[in-house]
Amino acid sequence: MELSRVWISIVTAIGAFSVSLLSIYLGYLLFLAGATGQFKFRAEVASGSVGLESVAPGLAFALFGMIVAAIALSKLIKRS
């Protein structure tokens, strides 16, 4: 029974880091291609809010990938 939980954790971690790596890489390619546009991001939490305005799409992709990686890493650290 415990072995299946380990495999689920491993597969989930590989999936999360694969998505974040792909997002960061695609954001990098968009940034190099010179893609421009308006991207507005706002996140509100009980303790405050964060907002980005006029961000290039490549930077937004990379930011999303970094957030996914940070969340996955924090979940893995809490489990061990």
Side-chain angles (χ1 to χ4, degrees), residues 3 19 24-25 38 50 52 59 64 68-69 75-76 78 80:
L3 186 60
V19 167
I24 292 170
Y25 180 68
Q38 297 295 320
V50 174
L52 295 174
L59 188 58
F64 172 74
V68 169
K75 297 286 183 180
L76 283 174
K78 286 181 185 178
S80 59

Side-chain angles (χ1 to χ4, degrees), residues 31-57:
F31 188 75
L32 285 182
T36 58
Q38 297 295 320
F39 180 82
K40 295 181 182 182
F41 173 77
R42 185 161 209 55
E44 295 184 19
V45 191
S47 61
S49 66
V50 174
L52 295 174
E53 300 206 16
S54 299
V55 176

Side-chain angles (χ1 to χ4, degrees), residues 2-78:
E2 189 64 33
L3 186 60
S4 65
R5 288 185 184 185
V6 171
W7 280 106
I8 290 172
S9 296
I10 290 171
V11 170
T12 304
I14 290 172
F17 286 115
S18 297
V19 167
S20 68
L21 180 65
L22 181 66
S23 179
I24 292 170
Y25 180 68
L26 291 176
Y28 175 72
L29 290 180
L30 276 173
F31 188 75
L32 285 182
T36 58
Q38 297 295 320
F39 180 82
K40 295 181 182 182
F41 173 77
R42 185 161 209 55
E44 295 184 19
V45 191
S47 61
S49 66
V50 174
L52 295 174
E53 300 206 16
S54 299
V55 176
L59 188 58
F61 264 88
L63 180 66
F64 172 74
M66 287 185 269
I67 290 170
V68 169
I71 291 172
L73 189 59
S74 70
K75 297 286 183 180
L76 283 174
I77 290 173
K78 286 181 185 178

